[in-house]
């Protein structure tokens, strides 16, 4: 821990930034996180499996909670949006793992009822267990309804093709080729992932 930078969070209406932010919870493979956007209130993470999306999502959520508590944070810089409530689905529950898509849809309906522009919602693996046929019409409709609440949204999805990308801050994990294989770098870039790279990476897993 010697020499690790620490700071207290700054606050903004829409800006979110983590610069060299160490995870502040126990995880198997801790890595510093970097992400920043100036406006939009909505973040979509999409891309390589095992590319660090869940680590980034959970770090963003924990920093939002810890930052508002006034704690010193192990990062070079932290800027957080002003919120009064944080809702989250960081871990897919057992009902979802059994393929009970209706349980997630019920949860999202509750989110739509509760969310306001002063809230933040974190969702890991949105509609993960829905079939392609079911998810294709459902995903853009539900996500657009959540966007209309004005809340700060942070969502991981492995689909997203039919979402209006101009209305979202989209980030995907970087990668490099090593010995003919696609290897995640765990550095996030502001772009939609390359579909051909995703297919190649899935084939090699």
């Amino acid at each position: 821990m010697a020499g690790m930078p620490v700071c207290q969070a700054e606050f903004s209406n829409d800006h979110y930034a983590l610069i060299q932010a160490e995870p502040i919870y126990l995880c198997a493979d801790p890595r510093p996180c970097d992400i920043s956007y100036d406006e939009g209130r909505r973040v979509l993470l999409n891309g390589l499996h095992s590319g660090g999306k869940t680590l980034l999502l959970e770090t963003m959520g924990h920093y939002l909670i810890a930052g508002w508590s006034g704690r010193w944070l192990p990062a070079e810089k932290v800027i957080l949006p002003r919120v009064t409530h944080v809702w989250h689905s960081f871990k897919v529950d057992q009902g979802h793992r059994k393929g009970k898509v209706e349980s997630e849809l019920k949860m999202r309906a509750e989110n739509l009822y509760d969310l306001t522009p002063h809230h933040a919602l974190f969702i890991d693996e949105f509609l993960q267990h829905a079939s392609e046929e079911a998810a294709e019409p459902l995903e853009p409709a539900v996500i657009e309804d959540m966007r209309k609440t004005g809340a700060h949204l942070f969502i991981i999805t492995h689909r997203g093709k039919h979402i209006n990308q101009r209305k979202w801050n989209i980030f995907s994990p970087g990668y490099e080729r090593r010995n003919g294989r696609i290897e995640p770098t765990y550095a996030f870039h502001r772009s939609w992932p390359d579909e051909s790279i995703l297919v190649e990476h899935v084939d090699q897993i």
Side-chain angles (χ1 to χ4, degrees), residues 180-191:
R181 294 176 58 86
I182 301 294
E183 300 290 348
T185 62
Y186 305 100
F188 280 77
H189 305 282
R190 192 161 187 166
S191 65

Side-chain angles (χ1 to χ4, degrees), residues 2-14:
M4 178 182 290
V6 294
C7 69
Q8 286 187 300
E10 304 171 28
F11 298 98
S12 167
N13 288 332
D14 294 319

Side-chain angles (χ1 to χ4, degrees), residues 50-69:
S50 302
K53 298 185 299 296
T54 295
L55 174 64
L56 176 59
L57 184 79
E58 293 185 352
T59 300
M60 293 178 77
H62 283 96
Y63 266 77
L64 185 56
I65 295 168
W68 275 101
S69 72

Side-chain angles (χ1 to χ4, degrees), residues 6-26:
V6 294
C7 69
Q8 286 187 300
E10 304 171 28
F11 298 98
S12 167
N13 288 332
D14 294 319
H15 191 181
Y16 193 116
L18 298 181
I19 308 301
Q20 286 296 291
E22 297 286 342
I24 51 177
Y25 62 99
L26 294 177

Side-chain angles (χ1 to χ4, degrees), residues 48-49 182-184 196-205:
L48 299 176
H49 289 278
I182 301 294
E183 300 290 348
S196 65
I197 296 298
L198 297 183
V199 172
E200 182 179 346
H201 186 248
V202 168
D203 289 342
Q204 75 181 28
I205 294 176

Side-chain angles (χ1 to χ4, degrees), residues 14 30 39 45 47 71 75 78 109 117-118 131 135 146 153-154 164 171 184:
D14 294 319
E39 59 184 16
L45 304 178
R71 298 178 183 178
V78 177
H118 305 292
S131 66
M146 288 192 293
L153 303 174
F154 307 84
N164 188 335
F171 293 86

